[in-house]
Amino acid sequence: MKTNTGMVSGMDQSLYDAFAKVSEDNQSKVAIYFLGKPLTYHDVRAMSDSLAHNLEEMGVSGRIAIMAGNSPQFVISLLAINSMGLEAALLRPGESPEAYDCQYVIASDYMMNYQEFNFRDMFLIRDEDLAPYGTSLKYYFREYLGERRDLSSRPGVHKLSDLIFDRYGQYDRDRSPDDTFIVKKTRKMESPVLIRNKDIMSAIADLSAYLDGFRKNMLISSSLYHMSTLQFLFTALINAGTVNLVPDYMDGQTSMKLAGRLESNMVVGNSHLYRQIVEKKIGIPKTIRFLFMIGEDFAPEFMDRFRSATGRTIKVGFDMTESCGAVTISPLDSEYDGSIGKPLPNVKIRITDRSGKDVQPGEMGFIEVSPGRFMGAESQYYNTGDLGYIDAGGGLHLERTRRMIINGSLIDPEPIEAAVNKASGVNDIAIGMRYEGGLPVLVAYVVTEDVNGIKRFFESRFPPYLRPQKYIAVKKIPRSPAGKIIRDQIIEIHGGDQQKASAEAN
């Protein structure tokens, strides 16, 4: 079978159409490995076509929420929804489909475990659907998954596997690059962000130009709901590369073994993976050329630790978490220089004051990104709401007190706190972030007499990336007159790296 390694040119098509074109020329090539199990380009397209056909036959329309961890089903569902010309709302754990006006949900059971939702139909991704050759994921992740409710017997719940293995013929319909593809919500905007097909294709083109000349065979462990992770994933697929996809709670030792065995040459990881590599002295396969960590919070001291422990450098970057992915990444031919990278091709960044005027070079201000592919902006820069400055060499430096990003996931503490406050023995709780060893950790400050009981509650009800790494018993949670948690105060009182800790009160 002919193999095409060049990227499909032009942005005047949908993501599905671009992928379909590549799959026609690379049908027998492996598109995705999941826990070592291969899916060819033909497999992925056939499954997405089958899912799209069955969803349409069931009358599914409008906006569809996806609440799934790293899995082929996430990718297949996204392609299917795009092929139908519908909108996919990518939800973080704890976000409500109702807040996105979604009547339909595609979800992994562990993503739905700690919060009740109303939905018309849910298409459930079961453990046995994810694991290699029909075995259960519990065999692989016994210590991570905990106890969960059986959702399969609820009215309106369908097994996603029943809808993707029909091997239905190619799905054909008109799709426009101006169609909305993905819907995300930001913390600073009340209305959802609508991301078009051509926004995604533009982001892929920028990353493809950055990686030009290198094989795009990637191990991806960072969460797929993160837009920069999707940008890397589809950059690989649209360039006929191979994605070695691992669950976002996979241990570092297994991830690196898979990377070496399947000859990945890039890793798109998160702080959880890189922390394990340092602390457990995990070797990095010689096949790996580049390591990426995009949109994560970290202290420069961690980069020094990582380089000392491994002799390798992580390429870091700034991303539009809720919109269209990475806007800066460290140059491929440079060492870590303290910045979070330089703008990708076709991306411009400026720093402004509160009135929108440019500040002097090196001066702190609001980070604004050039128009075009972000949020459908056509005529003006988009203000990200983040603070930073640009150094003399063009590198962007981020003031890291505005976001709570841990292990590649943007954490929204309020749904977690609301769920845990209902648990027996909890009088009050606050979720915060502080830095240890140069990387952020999630901390639960709990008013309780049974800290171990609260830890067991988290382990039985929450996915691994929402479980605190530390539990601290406190006498009182500081709150404002309006009842809002004052996070910077509780972190200051109970230790941690104060100048780097997240101070945002939600």
Side-chain angles (χ1 to χ4, degrees):
M1 184 66 64
K2 176 184 176 182
T3 298
N4 173 27
T5 58
M7 178 180 171
V8 177
S9 62
M11 293 183 291
D12 55 344
Q13 57 189 330
S14 70
L15 182 75
Y16 171 84
D17 289 326
F19 177 82
K21 174 60 178 173
V22 175
S23 68
E24 289 175 3
D25 297 331
N26 298 273
Q27 293 193 40
S28 62
K29 184 175 182 179
V30 174
I32 299 173
Y33 282 108
F34 185 69
L35 296 176
K37 179 180 179 180
L39 289 174
T40 66
Y41 275 84
H42 171 77
D43 294 333
V44 174
R45 184 180 182 188
M47 291 179 184
S48 64
D49 287 342
S50 174
L51 178 58
H53 170 74
N54 283 301
L55 292 179
E56 192 165 68
E57 286 288 303
M58 296 174 68
V60 173
S61 61
R63 190 174 291 170
I64 304 173
I66 297 181
M67 301 184 68
N70 284 15
S71 66
Q73 285 84 344
F74 188 112
V75 181
I76 291 163
S77 298
L78 206 56
L79 287 169
I81 293 170
N82 189 234
S83 74
M84 297 169 70
L86 301 182
E87 299 174 357
L90 306 185
L91 274 60
R92 300 191 301 270
E95 286 190 292
S96 169
E98 298 163 282
Y100 285 78
D101 298 320
C102 296
Q103 296 186 62
Y104 304 96
V105 182
I106 297 175
S108 301
D109 58 358
Y110 66 84
M111 296 283 281
M112 302 285 285
N113 197 41
Y114 72 98
Q115 188 165 338
E116 291 290 341
F117 299 122
N118 294 318
F119 49 81
R120 177 174 171 179
D121 288 288
M122 182 172 78
F123 306 96
L124 184 66
I125 303 171
R126 306 167 302 170
D127 286 346
E128 54 267 34
D129 299 330
L130 292 173
Y133 309 107
T135 58
S136 172
L137 271 188
K138 292 179 181 178
Y139 175 80
Y140 296 91
F141 305 110
R142 294 183 296 275
E143 68 273 31
Y144 292 108
L145 293 176
E147 297 179 3
R148 287 169 290 161
R149 296 166 291 171
D150 180 13
L151 298 173
S152 61
S153 61
R154 288 184 54 171
V157 174
H158 314 270
K159 297 175 183 177
L160 190 71
S161 56
D162 292 341
L163 307 180
I164 66 176
F165 292 118
D166 283 354
R167 302 292 179 177
Y168 177 77
Q170 294 181 0
Y171 195 81
D172 188 22
R173 67 176 296 157
D174 293 331
R175 289 163 292 271
S176 167
D178 288 314
D179 285 344
T180 298
F181 172 25
I182 291 176
V183 180
K184 297 282 284 184
K185 277 194 172 182
T186 73
R187 291 192 174 192
K188 72 170 194 165
M189 297 179 68
E190 294 183 3
S191 300
V193 174
L194 306 180
I195 305 168
R196 302 164 300 182
N197 275 287
K198 64 183 180 183
D199 300 330
I200 295 291
M201 295 304 295
S202 176
I204 292 171
D206 288 345
L207 187 56
S208 294
Y210 168 80
L211 296 174
D212 185 45
F214 294 97
R215 286 187 305 113
K216 296 169 182 63
N217 293 347
M218 306 174 184
L219 181 136
I220 294 180
S221 66
S222 185
S223 175
L224 288 182
Y225 92 83
H226 211 267
M227 292 304 300
S228 59
T229 308
L230 279 181
Q231 183 183 9
F232 271 90
L233 179 139
F234 281 112
T235 294
L237 296 181
I238 299 303
N239 285 278
T242 298
V243 174
N244 183 2
L245 185 62
V246 299
D248 35 18
Y249 43 80
M250 175 72 80
D251 68 276
Q253 186 74 51
T254 303
S255 295
M256 289 300 97
K257 284 183 179 179
L258 286 171
R261 180 158 63 89
L262 301 176
E263 297 188 346
S264 302
N265 66 320
M266 302 178 188
V267 172
V268 183
N270 55 32
S271 56
H272 173 73
L273 173 65
Y274 296 130
R275 183 198 303 272
Q276 285 196 349
I277 287 174
V278 171
E279 295 180 351
K280 297 185 178 182
K281 300 180 180 179
I282 298 171
I284 299 173
K286 293 181 179 179
T287 58
I288 299 299
R289 293 288 302 274
F290 304 112
L291 306 162
F292 297 97
M293 184 171 68
I294 310 298
E296 283 262 28
D297 285 333
F298 63 91
E301 67 184 80
F302 176 74
M303 293 300 166
D304 292 336
R305 287 179 61 205
F306 192 87
R307 184 168 52 242
S308 296
T310 67
R312 309 290 288 274
T313 300
I314 302 172
K315 306 301 179 185
V316 296
F318 174 60
D319 74 342
M320 307 284 287
T321 304
E322 295 94 351
S323 57
C324 277
V327 294
T328 73
I329 307 181
S330 305
L332 290 175
D333 58 355
S334 70
E335 295 292 316
Y336 174 69
D337 62 359
S339 76
I340 52 172
K342 297 180 180 180
L344 287 173
N346 303 314
V347 175
K348 295 181 180 179
I349 292 177
R350 69 176 187 177
I351 308 297
T352 65
D353 59 20
R354 292 187 179 276
S355 67
K357 296 180 180 179
D358 291 343
V359 301
Q360 295 296 316
E363 184 178 345
M364 187 77 70
F366 290 100
I367 302 171
E368 295 195 3
V369 179
S370 57
R373 68 178 168 97
F374 296 107
M375 318 265 215
E378 299 290 355
S379 59
Q380 60 183 359
Y381 278 74
Y382 171 70
N383 188 326
T384 67
D386 291 300
L387 293 173
Y389 69 91
I390 297 176
D391 62 28
L396 179 67
H397 296 254
L398 182 67
E399 195 278 317
R400 295 184 173 93
T401 64
R402 302 180 63 82
R403 302 188 294 174
M404 191 183 294
I405 299 180
I406 300 176
N407 297 337
S409 294
L410 181 63
I411 305 296
D412 186 355
E414 287 190 335
I416 303 174
E417 292 159 350
V420 180
N421 266 319
K422 298 176 183 178
S424 175
V426 177
N427 296 317
D428 203 357
I429 184 172
I431 301 297
M433 184 183 86
R434 69 186 193 187
Y435 282 71
E436 295 186 358
L439 289 177
V441 297
L442 199 63
V443 182
Y445 302 94
V446 190
V447 181
T448 182
E449 295 181 358
D450 184 12
V451 173
N452 288 330
I454 305 307
K455 183 178 181 180
R456 289 192 296 271
F457 180 83
F458 268 96
E459 291 173 347
S460 67
R461 295 291 298 276
F462 287 80
Y465 41 88
L466 290 184
R467 298 175 194 166
Q469 286 93 345
K470 291 190 175 294
Y471 297 82
I472 299 177
V474 299
K475 294 182 179 180
K476 183 179 179 180
I477 302 296
R479 293 180 178 269
S480 69
K484 296 290 185 180
I485 295 172
I486 307 175
R487 299 188 195 279
D488 57 347
Q489 188 176 121
I490 193 169
I491 292 170
E492 180 178 353
I493 293 172
H494 295 282
D497 195 337
Q498 298 173 20
Q499 69 269 26
K500 302 188 189 81
S502 174
E504 182 178 358
N506 294 281

